[in-house]
């Protein structure tokens, strides 16, 4: 039997390219939230997949942005770069139809690493004609010396086992680093907050998702349910009004959907109390960012 392998595989790319969907697919369960909007992921999140042969530790990171900006954007850039450093393998994700200007900061980040880089061409389910992949693969190989180029659909799972094999080939012989039943480095409180944020990203347009962070005020396991109290922080009164909706109906719907997702993830009945508070400038204020979990560790 081959020796057991274990190591870190970072998944980097521009915002919205499908990194978190891909990590969830490879881990086999939801460890990271996803949405149609860019900059959904705000933290470095480990997704751990353990089999008889290996333990692969995927590192999901925020989308790589062009430099500059402060506050939350600066935090996101640091978390993306920090998550890619020192890993055993980098998966650089682009999507069909091909390279865009927005992929360049992620390419540059991958080029700065010493570890092998596998190029992932995602969203191939959108291609009417697979023949279009061949020229894309050829021209991609001119960008840098990739250890492999693997077309996938994170949505359908097409090509994902070939990608997992390519990542595994980069990992050293090493014992497992996490218990075999652990799928993430994040706890239930973190996931509860993320599931509320996911519903906000999925339900609101332009401005609201970026004005919001979520904190968990209490998380209690009771005999028959988990009781969770959470606060949605926004920057302005107007945003609070939009989130609430007429007679509080939109907030109620966010709460209902978040609760259903929590019940699925925790395998338990959940009571969710959801509040909105205005905290002006939370996303620009370094101290507030730290308080809300946007700390140095990404
Ligand atoms: N058609 C199609 N859509 C996909 C695929 N993978 C992801 N998506 C969609 O692309 C959007 C972005 O997916 P995410 O996984 O949140 O993307 P991300 O790269 O993690 O984005 P950030 O965290 O914002 O950087 C979502 O609407 C996904 O459903 C795919 O293989 N095919
Ligand atoms: Mg993401």
């Amino acid at each position: 039997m081959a020796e057991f392998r274990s190591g870190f595989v970072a998944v980097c790319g521009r915002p919205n390219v499908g990194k978190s969907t891909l990590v969830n697919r490879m881990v086999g369960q939801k460890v990271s939230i996803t949405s149609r909007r860019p900059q959904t992921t705000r933290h470095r999140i480990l997704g751990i997949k353990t089999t008889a042969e290996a333990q692969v530790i995927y590192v999901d990171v925020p989308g790589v942005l062009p430099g500059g900006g402060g506050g939350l954007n600066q935090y996101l850039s640091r978390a993306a770069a920090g998550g890619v450093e020192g890993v055993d393998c980098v998966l650089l994700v682009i999507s069909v139809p091909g390279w865009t200007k927005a992929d360049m900061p992620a390419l540059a980040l991958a080029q700065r690493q010493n570890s092998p880089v596998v190029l992932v061409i995602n969203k191939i389910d959108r291609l009417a004609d697979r023949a279009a992949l061949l020229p894309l693969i050829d021209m991609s190989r001119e960008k840098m010396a990739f250890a492999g180029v693997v077309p996938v659909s994170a949505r359908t799972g097409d090509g994902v086992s070939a990608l997992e094999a390519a990542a595994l080939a980069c990992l050293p012989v090493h014992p497992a680093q996490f218990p075999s039943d652990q799928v993430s480095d994040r706890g239930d409180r973190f996931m509860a907050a993320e599931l509320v944020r996911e519903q906000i990203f999925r339900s609101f347009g332009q401005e609201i998702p970026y004005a919001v962070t979520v904190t968990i005020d209490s998380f209690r396991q009771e005999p028959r349910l988990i009781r969770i109290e959470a606060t949605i922080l926004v920057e302005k009164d107007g945003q609070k009004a939009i989130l609430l909706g007429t007679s509080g109906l939109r907030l109620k719907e966010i709460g209902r959907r978040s609760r259903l997702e929590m019940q699925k993830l925790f395998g338990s009945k959940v009571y969710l109390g959801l509040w909105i508070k205005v905290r002006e400038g939370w996303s620009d204020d370094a101290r507030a960012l730290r308080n809300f979990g946007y700390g140095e560790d990404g």
Side-chain angles (χ1 to χ4, degrees), residues 30-75:
K30 182 156 162 177
V31 293
S32 191
I33 62 168
T34 65
S35 88
R36 271 187 298 126
R37 300 187 190 289
Q39 293 180 256
T40 303
T41 304
R42 288 185 183 165
H43 301 272
R44 177 176 45 190
I45 296 172
L46 302 185
I48 305 159
K49 169 83 172 278
T50 309
T51 62
E53 293 84 38
Q55 180 171 78
V56 190
I57 304 150
Y58 295 103
V59 188
D60 188 21
V61 294
V64 184
L65 302 164
L72 188 57
N73 270 353
Q74 187 182 33
Y75 169 82

mmCIF file of all heavy atoms in Angstrom, residues 30-75:
data_model
loop_
_atom_site.group_PDB
_atom_site.id
_atom_site.type_symbol
_atom_site.label_atom_id
_atom_site.label_comp_id
_atom_site.label_asym_id
_atom_site.label_seq_id
_atom_site.Cartn_x
_atom_site.Cartn_y
_atom_site.Cartn_z
ATOM 1 N N LYS A 30 -20.675 21.130 3.143
ATOM 2 C CA LYS A 30 -20.519 22.580 3.133
ATOM 3 C C LYS A 30 -19.643 23.050 4.282
ATOM 4 O O LYS A 30 -20.009 22.914 5.445
ATOM 5 C CB LYS A 30 -21.897 23.217 3.249
ATOM 6 C CG LYS A 30 -21.896 24.721 3.210
ATOM 7 C CD LYS A 30 -23.251 25.141 2.751
ATOM 8 C CE LYS A 30 -23.622 26.531 3.028
ATOM 9 N NZ LYS A 30 -24.953 26.790 2.433
ATOM 10 N N VAL A 31 -18.465 23.575 3.948
ATOM 11 C CA VAL A 31 -17.609 24.172 4.967
ATOM 12 C C VAL A 31 -17.480 25.672 4.736
ATOM 13 O O VAL A 31 -17.013 26.410 5.594
ATOM 14 C CB VAL A 31 -16.199 23.529 5.008
ATOM 15 C CG1 VAL A 31 -16.284 22.084 5.469
ATOM 16 C CG2 VAL A 31 -15.488 23.617 3.661
ATOM 17 N N SER A 32 -17.896 26.134 3.547
ATOM 18 C CA SER A 32 -17.697 27.533 3.190
ATOM 19 C C SER A 32 -18.925 28.027 2.419
ATOM 20 O O SER A 32 -19.431 27.319 1.552
ATOM 21 C CB SER A 32 -16.435 27.631 2.324
ATOM 22 O OG SER A 32 -16.037 28.971 2.153
ATOM 23 N N ILE A 33 -19.391 29.232 2.740
ATOM 24 C CA ILE A 33 -20.616 29.712 2.094
ATOM 25 C C ILE A 33 -20.324 30.204 0.676
ATOM 26 O O ILE A 33 -19.200 30.589 0.359
ATOM 27 C CB ILE A 33 -21.300 30.821 2.925
ATOM 28 C CG1 ILE A 33 -20.399 32.055 3.065
ATOM 29 C CG2 ILE A 33 -21.719 30.274 4.280
ATOM 30 C CD1 ILE A 33 -21.132 33.280 3.614
ATOM 31 N N THR A 34 -21.356 30.194 -0.168
ATOM 32 C CA THR A 34 -21.194 30.585 -1.572
ATOM 33 C C THR A 34 -22.365 31.477 -1.986
ATOM 34 O O THR A 34 -23.438 31.405 -1.406
ATOM 35 C CB THR A 34 -21.211 29.349 -2.498
ATOM 36 O OG1 THR A 34 -22.506 28.737 -2.441
ATOM 37 C CG2 THR A 34 -20.157 28.331 -2.095
ATOM 38 N N SER A 35 -22.107 32.316 -2.990
ATOM 39 C CA SER A 35 -23.203 33.103 -3.559
ATOM 40 C C SER A 35 -22.808 33.623 -4.923
ATOM 41 O O SER A 35 -21.650 33.540 -5.317
ATOM 42 C CB SER A 35 -23.565 34.282 -2.645
ATOM 43 O OG SER A 35 -22.767 35.406 -2.956
ATOM 44 N N ARG A 36 -23.791 34.189 -5.622
ATOM 45 C CA ARG A 36 -23.543 34.737 -6.941
ATOM 46 C C ARG A 36 -22.707 36.001 -6.874
ATOM 47 O O ARG A 36 -22.245 36.495 -7.888
ATOM 48 C CB ARG A 36 -24.885 35.078 -7.606
ATOM 49 C CG ARG A 36 -25.494 33.935 -8.386
ATOM 50 C CD ARG A 36 -26.704 34.408 -9.144
ATOM 51 N NE ARG A 36 -27.740 34.902 -8.236
ATOM 52 C CZ ARG A 36 -28.302 36.108 -8.335
ATOM 53 N NH1 ARG A 36 -27.951 36.930 -9.290
ATOM 54 N NH2 ARG A 36 -29.224 36.476 -7.476
ATOM 55 N N ARG A 37 -22.580 36.583 -5.703
ATOM 56 C CA ARG A 37 -21.877 37.871 -5.598
ATOM 57 C C ARG A 37 -20.410 37.694 -5.235
ATOM 58 O O ARG A 37 -20.068 36.801 -4.475
ATOM 59 C CB ARG A 37 -22.530 38.732 -4.526
ATOM 60 C CG ARG A 37 -23.933 38.976 -4.861
ATOM 61 C CD ARG A 37 -24.669 39.927 -4.006
ATOM 62 N NE ARG A 37 -26.057 39.803 -4.409
ATOM 63 C CZ ARG A 37 -26.530 40.230 -5.566
ATOM 64 N NH1 ARG A 37 -25.738 40.862 -6.410
ATOM 65 N NH2 ARG A 37 -27.780 40.039 -5.894
ATOM 66 N N PRO A 38 -19.546 38.561 -5.806
ATOM 67 C CA PRO A 38 -18.129 38.484 -5.454
ATOM 68 C C PRO A 38 -17.881 38.833 -3.987
ATOM 69 O O PRO A 38 -18.712 39.496 -3.363
ATOM 70 C CB PRO A 38 -17.462 39.514 -6.375
ATOM 71 C CG PRO A 38 -18.555 40.389 -6.875
ATOM 72 C CD PRO A 38 -19.821 39.598 -6.810
ATOM 73 N N GLN A 39 -16.759 38.396 -3.466
ATOM 74 C CA GLN A 39 -16.329 38.666 -2.088
ATOM 75 C C GLN A 39 -17.280 38.088 -1.048
ATOM 76 O O GLN A 39 -17.528 38.681 -0.003
ATOM 77 C CB GLN A 39 -16.126 40.172 -1.869
ATOM 78 C CG GLN A 39 -14.957 40.694 -2.668
ATOM 79 C CD GLN A 39 -14.724 42.188 -2.464
ATOM 80 O OE1 GLN A 39 -15.046 42.992 -3.317
ATOM 81 N NE2 GLN A 39 -14.154 42.528 -1.320
ATOM 82 N N THR A 40 -17.782 36.908 -1.339
ATOM 83 C CA THR A 40 -18.618 36.195 -0.371
ATOM 84 C C THR A 40 -17.750 35.689 0.778
ATOM 85 O O THR A 40 -18.082 35.863 1.955
ATOM 86 C CB THR A 40 -19.334 35.008 -1.053
ATOM 87 O OG1 THR A 40 -20.090 35.503 -2.158
ATOM 88 C CG2 THR A 40 -20.256 34.298 -0.082
ATOM 89 N N THR A 41 -16.628 35.043 0.429
ATOM 90 C CA THR A 41 -15.727 34.509 1.459
ATOM 91 C C THR A 41 -14.897 35.642 2.049
ATOM 92 O O THR A 41 -14.293 36.413 1.313
ATOM 93 C CB THR A 41 -14.797 33.444 0.854
ATOM 94 O OG1 THR A 41 -15.603 32.430 0.255
ATOM 95 C CG2 THR A 41 -13.893 32.822 1.912
ATOM 96 N N ARG A 42 -14.891 35.736 3.373
ATOM 97 C CA ARG A 42 -14.133 36.812 4.025
ATOM 98 C C ARG A 42 -13.015 36.293 4.919
ATOM 99 O O ARG A 42 -12.262 37.073 5.477
ATOM 100 C CB ARG A 42 -15.066 37.675 4.865
ATOM 101 C CG ARG A 42 -15.974 38.558 4.033
ATOM 102 C CD ARG A 42 -16.784 39.470 4.923
ATOM 103 N NE ARG A 42 -17.715 40.265 4.137
ATOM 104 C CZ ARG A 42 -18.740 40.926 4.670
ATOM 105 N NH1 ARG A 42 -18.941 40.889 5.976
ATOM 106 N NH2 ARG A 42 -19.545 41.625 3.910
ATOM 107 N N HIS A 43 -12.951 34.977 5.098
ATOM 108 C CA HIS A 43 -11.948 34.422 6.017
ATOM 109 C C HIS A 43 -11.253 33.244 5.360
ATOM 110 O O HIS A 43 -11.800 32.613 4.468
ATOM 111 C CB HIS A 43 -12.612 33.914 7.300
ATOM 112 C CG HIS A 43 -13.368 34.958 8.036
ATOM 113 N ND1 HIS A 43 -12.782 35.773 8.963
ATOM 114 C CD2 HIS A 43 -14.667 35.336 7.955
ATOM 115 C CE1 HIS A 43 -13.697 36.610 9.440
ATOM 116 N NE2 HIS A 43 -14.846 36.363 8.836
ATOM 117 N N ARG A 44 -10.067 32.951 5.856
ATOM 118 C CA ARG A 44 -9.420 31.714 5.439
ATOM 119 C C ARG A 44 -10.114 30.566 6.178
ATOM 120 O O ARG A 44 -10.258 30.594 7.394
ATOM 121 C CB ARG A 44 -7.942 31.789 5.837
ATOM 122 C CG ARG A 44 -7.162 30.560 5.539
ATOM 123 C CD ARG A 44 -5.718 30.772 5.875
ATOM 124 N NE ARG A 44 -5.582 31.431 7.187
ATOM 125 C CZ ARG A 44 -4.451 31.921 7.666
ATOM 126 N NH1 ARG A 44 -3.365 31.865 6.965
ATOM 127 N NH2 ARG A 44 -4.402 32.481 8.853
ATOM 128 N N ILE A 45 -10.533 29.582 5.424
ATOM 129 C CA ILE A 45 -11.279 28.467 6.022
ATOM 130 C C ILE A 45 -10.662 27.152 5.547
ATOM 131 O O ILE A 45 -10.429 26.976 4.352
ATOM 132 C CB ILE A 45 -12.764 28.526 5.587
ATOM 133 C CG1 ILE A 45 -13.416 29.801 6.134
ATOM 134 C CG2 ILE A 45 -13.522 27.285 6.059
ATOM 135 C CD1 ILE A 45 -14.811 30.053 5.603
ATOM 136 N N LEU A 46 -10.381 26.267 6.478
ATOM 137 C CA LEU A 46 -9.852 24.965 6.085
ATOM 138 C C LEU A 46 -10.994 23.984 5.872
ATOM 139 O O LEU A 46 -11.934 23.923 6.668
ATOM 140 C CB LEU A 46 -8.919 24.413 7.173
ATOM 141 C CG LEU A 46 -7.717 25.267 7.563
ATOM 142 C CD1 LEU A 46 -6.832 24.521 8.572
ATOM 143 C CD2 LEU A 46 -6.900 25.683 6.348
ATOM 144 N N GLY A 47 -10.900 23.235 4.778
ATOM 145 C CA GLY A 47 -11.836 22.139 4.518
ATOM 146 C C GLY A 47 -11.021 20.859 4.433
ATOM 147 O O GLY A 47 -10.107 20.754 3.624
ATOM 148 N N ILE A 48 -11.308 19.904 5.318
ATOM 149 C CA ILE A 48 -10.419 18.745 5.475
ATOM 150 C C ILE A 48 -11.072 17.487 4.929
ATOM 151 O O ILE A 48 -12.214 17.170 5.278
ATOM 152 C CB ILE A 48 -10.079 18.556 6.976
ATOM 153 C CG1 ILE A 48 -9.493 19.864 7.533
ATOM 154 C CG2 ILE A 48 -9.102 17.391 7.172
ATOM 155 C CD1 ILE A 48 -9.599 19.990 9.041
ATOM 156 N N LYS A 49 -10.343 16.786 4.077
ATOM 157 C CA LYS A 49 -10.868 15.542 3.491
ATOM 158 C C LYS A 49 -9.930 14.397 3.843
ATOM 159 O O LYS A 49 -8.763 14.383 3.440
ATOM 160 C CB LYS A 49 -10.940 15.729 1.967
ATOM 161 C CG LYS A 49 -11.205 14.483 1.155
ATOM 162 C CD LYS A 49 -12.693 14.166 1.086
ATOM 163 C CE LYS A 49 -12.980 13.037 0.121
ATOM 164 N NZ LYS A 49 -13.047 13.462 -1.265
ATOM 165 N N THR A 50 -10.428 13.446 4.617
ATOM 166 C CA THR A 50 -9.594 12.325 5.046
ATOM 167 C C THR A 50 -10.095 11.028 4.412
ATOM 168 O O THR A 50 -11.279 10.723 4.479
ATOM 169 C CB THR A 50 -9.618 12.188 6.584
ATOM 170 O OG1 THR A 50 -9.317 13.459 7.159
ATOM 171 C CG2 THR A 50 -8.598 11.159 7.060
ATOM 172 N N THR A 51 -9.180 10.296 3.788
ATOM 173 C CA THR A 51 -9.506 8.978 3.230
ATOM 174 C C THR A 51 -8.493 7.977 3.799
ATOM 175 O O THR A 51 -7.654 8.347 4.626
ATOM 176 C CB THR A 51 -9.381 8.983 1.692
ATOM 177 O OG1 THR A 51 -8.015 9.287 1.355
ATOM 178 C CG2 THR A 51 -10.300 10.020 1.045
ATOM 179 N N ALA A 52 -8.556 6.734 3.319
ATOM 180 C CA ALA A 52 -7.606 5.722 3.802
ATOM 181 C C ALA A 52 -6.184 6.061 3.351
ATOM 182 O O ALA A 52 -5.215 5.678 4.005
ATOM 183 C CB ALA A 52 -8.009 4.344 3.285
ATOM 184 N N GLU A 53 -6.047 6.800 2.253
ATOM 185 C CA GLU A 53 -4.716 7.075 1.698
ATOM 186 C C GLU A 53 -4.134 8.413 2.114
ATOM 187 O O GLU A 53 -2.922 8.614 2.049
ATOM 188 C CB GLU A 53 -4.753 7.082 0.158
ATOM 189 C CG GLU A 53 -5.049 5.769 -0.512
ATOM 190 C CD GLU A 53 -6.538 5.505 -0.595
ATOM 191 O OE1 GLU A 53 -7.289 6.473 -0.839
ATOM 192 O OE2 GLU A 53 -6.956 4.358 -0.391
ATOM 193 N N ALA A 54 -5.010 9.370 2.450
ATOM 194 C CA ALA A 54 -4.487 10.726 2.606
ATOM 195 C C ALA A 54 -5.417 11.613 3.423
ATOM 196 O O ALA A 54 -6.608 11.320 3.577
ATOM 197 C CB ALA A 54 -4.319 11.360 1.220
ATOM 198 N N GLN A 55 -4.839 12.696 3.937
ATOM 199 C CA GLN A 55 -5.642 13.774 4.492
ATOM 200 C C GLN A 55 -5.249 15.051 3.754
ATOM 201 O O GLN A 55 -4.123 15.536 3.906
ATOM 202 C CB GLN A 55 -5.399 13.944 5.982
ATOM 203 C CG GLN A 55 -6.237 15.077 6.567
ATOM 204 C CD GLN A 55 -6.168 15.101 8.081
ATOM 205 O OE1 GLN A 55 -5.189 15.567 8.652
ATOM 206 N NE2 GLN A 55 -7.198 14.591 8.733
ATOM 207 N N VAL A 56 -6.180 15.537 2.940
ATOM 208 C CA VAL A 56 -5.919 16.756 2.179
ATOM 209 C C VAL A 56 -6.589 17.918 2.909
ATOM 210 O O VAL A 56 -7.780 17.861 3.217
ATOM 211 C CB VAL A 56 -6.478 16.662 0.744
ATOM 212 C CG1 VAL A 56 -5.982 17.839 -0.088
ATOM 213 C CG2 VAL A 56 -6.101 15.343 0.102
ATOM 214 N N ILE A 57 -5.815 18.954 3.183
ATOM 215 C CA ILE A 57 -6.357 20.104 3.901
ATOM 216 C C ILE A 57 -6.469 21.257 2.900
ATOM 217 O O ILE A 57 -5.468 21.882 2.536
ATOM 218 C CB ILE A 57 -5.446 20.475 5.090
ATOM 219 C CG1 ILE A 57 -5.279 19.254 6.001
ATOM 220 C CG2 ILE A 57 -6.028 21.660 5.860
ATOM 221 C CD1 ILE A 57 -3.957 19.211 6.741
ATOM 222 N N TYR A 58 -7.688 21.491 2.424
ATOM 223 C CA TYR A 58 -7.917 22.567 1.460
ATOM 224 C C TYR A 58 -8.029 23.892 2.200
ATOM 225 O O TYR A 58 -8.625 23.960 3.278
ATOM 226 C CB TYR A 58 -9.196 22.313 0.659
ATOM 227 C CG TYR A 58 -9.099 21.086 -0.213
ATOM 228 C CD1 TYR A 58 -9.725 19.891 0.148
ATOM 229 C CD2 TYR A 58 -8.354 21.108 -1.387
ATOM 230 C CE1 TYR A 58 -9.618 18.753 -0.642
ATOM 231 C CE2 TYR A 58 -8.231 19.978 -2.180
ATOM 232 C CZ TYR A 58 -8.872 18.805 -1.803
ATOM 233 O OH TYR A 58 -8.750 17.686 -2.588
ATOM 234 N N VAL A 59 -7.432 24.927 1.626
ATOM 235 C CA VAL A 59 -7.505 26.255 2.228
ATOM 236 C C VAL A 59 -8.334 27.136 1.308
ATOM 237 O O VAL A 59 -7.900 27.475 0.207
ATOM 238 C CB VAL A 59 -6.094 26.868 2.397
ATOM 239 C CG1 VAL A 59 -6.170 28.161 3.204
ATOM 240 C CG2 VAL A 59 -5.123 25.871 3.038
ATOM 241 N N ASP A 60 -9.561 27.460 1.722
ATOM 242 C CA ASP A 60 -10.397 28.377 0.946
ATOM 243 C C ASP A 60 -10.078 29.790 1.428
ATOM 244 O O ASP A 60 -9.961 30.017 2.626
ATOM 245 C CB ASP A 60 -11.884 28.072 1.167
ATOM 246 C CG ASP A 60 -12.779 28.877 0.233
ATOM 247 O OD1 ASP A 60 -12.291 29.351 -0.821
ATOM 248 O OD2 ASP A 60 -13.974 29.034 0.541
ATOM 249 N N VAL A 61 -9.915 30.699 0.478
ATOM 250 C CA VAL A 61 -9.545 32.070 0.851
ATOM 251 C C VAL A 61 -10.458 33.062 0.123
ATOM 252 O O VAL A 61 -11.102 32.712 -0.861
ATOM 253 C CB VAL A 61 -8.063 32.382 0.515
ATOM 254 C CG1 VAL A 61 -7.126 31.551 1.363
ATOM 255 C CG2 VAL A 61 -7.772 32.192 -0.963
ATOM 256 N N PRO A 62 -10.475 34.318 0.597
ATOM 257 C CA PRO A 62 -11.211 35.339 -0.159
ATOM 258 C C PRO A 62 -10.621 35.479 -1.560
ATOM 259 O O PRO A 62 -9.457 35.159 -1.784
ATOM 260 C CB PRO A 62 -10.967 36.621 0.649
ATOM 261 C CG PRO A 62 -10.627 36.154 2.027
ATOM 262 C CD PRO A 62 -9.899 34.860 1.848
ATOM 263 N N GLY A 63 -11.420 35.964 -2.487
ATOM 264 C CA GLY A 63 -10.937 36.206 -3.837
ATOM 265 C C GLY A 63 -9.792 37.205 -3.834
ATOM 266 O O GLY A 63 -9.766 38.129 -3.022
ATOM 267 N N VAL A 64 -8.829 36.991 -4.745
ATOM 268 C CA VAL A 64 -7.664 37.875 -4.798
ATOM 269 C C VAL A 64 -8.044 39.137 -5.585
ATOM 270 O O VAL A 64 -8.536 39.058 -6.712
ATOM 271 C CB VAL A 64 -6.463 37.184 -5.459
ATOM 272 C CG1 VAL A 64 -5.241 38.089 -5.405
ATOM 273 C CG2 VAL A 64 -6.166 35.853 -4.790
ATOM 274 N N LEU A 65 -7.811 40.285 -4.946
ATOM 275 C CA LEU A 65 -8.177 41.584 -5.530
ATOM 276 C C LEU A 65 -6.923 42.314 -5.978
ATOM 277 O O LEU A 65 -5.832 42.023 -5.491
ATOM 278 C CB LEU A 65 -8.882 42.434 -4.468
ATOM 279 C CG LEU A 65 -10.135 41.842 -3.841
ATOM 280 C CD1 LEU A 65 -10.484 42.592 -2.555
ATOM 281 C CD2 LEU A 65 -11.278 41.909 -4.837
ATOM 282 N N PRO A 66 -7.067 43.302 -6.880
ATOM 283 C CA PRO A 66 -5.926 44.166 -7.163
ATOM 284 C C PRO A 66 -5.544 44.874 -5.870
ATOM 285 O O PRO A 66 -6.389 45.040 -4.993
ATOM 286 C CB PRO A 66 -6.467 45.172 -8.183
ATOM 287 C CG PRO A 66 -7.801 44.684 -8.601
ATOM 288 C CD PRO A 66 -8.295 43.735 -7.560
ATOM 289 N N GLY A 67 -4.275 45.281 -5.759
ATOM 290 C CA GLY A 67 -3.817 45.895 -4.501
ATOM 291 C C GLY A 67 -4.558 47.185 -4.192
ATOM 292 O O GLY A 67 -5.369 47.668 -4.976
ATOM 293 N N GLY A 68 -4.270 47.754 -3.043
ATOM 294 C CA GLY A 68 -4.864 49.040 -2.668
ATOM 295 C C GLY A 68 -6.119 48.855 -1.839
ATOM 296 O O GLY A 68 -6.581 47.743 -1.618
ATOM 297 N N GLY A 69 -6.642 49.976 -1.376
ATOM 298 C CA GLY A 69 -7.837 49.930 -0.535
ATOM 299 C C GLY A 69 -7.450 49.670 0.912
ATOM 300 O O GLY A 69 -6.363 49.177 1.194
ATOM 301 N N GLY A 70 -8.346 50.031 1.799
ATOM 302 C CA GLY A 70 -8.083 49.810 3.222
ATOM 303 C C GLY A 70 -9.217 49.011 3.815
ATOM 304 O O GLY A 70 -9.962 48.362 3.085
ATOM 305 N N GLY A 71 -9.331 49.066 5.138
ATOM 306 C CA GLY A 71 -10.449 48.447 5.832
ATOM 307 C C GLY A 71 -10.645 46.990 5.468
ATOM 308 O O GLY A 71 -9.692 46.209 5.398
ATOM 309 N N LEU A 72 -11.871 46.634 5.193
ATOM 310 C CA LEU A 72 -12.209 45.237 4.929
ATOM 311 C C LEU A 72 -11.479 44.693 3.695
ATOM 312 O O LEU A 72 -11.010 43.551 3.697
ATOM 313 C CB LEU A 72 -13.726 45.101 4.759
ATOM 314 C CG LEU A 72 -14.277 43.676 4.653
ATOM 315 C CD1 LEU A 72 -13.902 42.825 5.867
ATOM 316 C CD2 LEU A 72 -15.799 43.692 4.489
ATOM 317 N N ASN A 73 -11.346 45.513 2.640
ATOM 318 C CA ASN A 73 -10.642 45.044 1.433
ATOM 319 C C ASN A 73 -9.192 44.668 1.718
ATOM 320 O O ASN A 73 -8.681 43.686 1.197
ATOM 321 C CB ASN A 73 -10.669 46.110 0.331
ATOM 322 C CG ASN A 73 -11.898 45.940 -0.540
ATOM 323 O OD1 ASN A 73 -12.644 44.967 -0.390
ATOM 324 N ND2 ASN A 73 -12.115 46.888 -1.427
ATOM 325 N N GLN A 74 -8.548 45.477 2.531
ATOM 326 C CA GLN A 74 -7.162 45.184 2.887
ATOM 327 C C GLN A 74 -7.084 43.875 3.676
ATOM 328 O O GLN A 74 -6.218 43.040 3.453
ATOM 329 C CB GLN A 74 -6.608 46.332 3.724
ATOM 330 C CG GLN A 74 -5.130 46.194 3.993
ATOM 331 C CD GLN A 74 -4.634 47.340 4.871
ATOM 332 O OE1 GLN A 74 -5.366 47.834 5.734
ATOM 333 N NE2 GLN A 74 -3.415 47.752 4.649
ATOM 334 N N TYR A 75 -8.049 43.704 4.576
ATOM 335 C CA TYR A 75 -8.100 42.466 5.348
ATOM 336 C C TYR A 75 -8.285 41.257 4.429
ATOM 337 O O TYR A 75 -7.620 40.237 4.572
ATOM 338 C CB TYR A 75 -9.243 42.545 6.383
ATOM 339 C CG TYR A 75 -9.492 41.214 7.012
ATOM 340 C CD1 TYR A 75 -8.702 40.761 8.061
ATOM 341 C CD2 TYR A 75 -10.467 40.371 6.501
ATOM 342 C CE1 TYR A 75 -8.890 39.508 8.595
ATOM 343 C CE2 TYR A 75 -10.662 39.108 7.027
ATOM 344 C CZ TYR A 75 -9.868 38.688 8.070
ATOM 345 O OH TYR A 75 -10.054 37.442 8.585
#
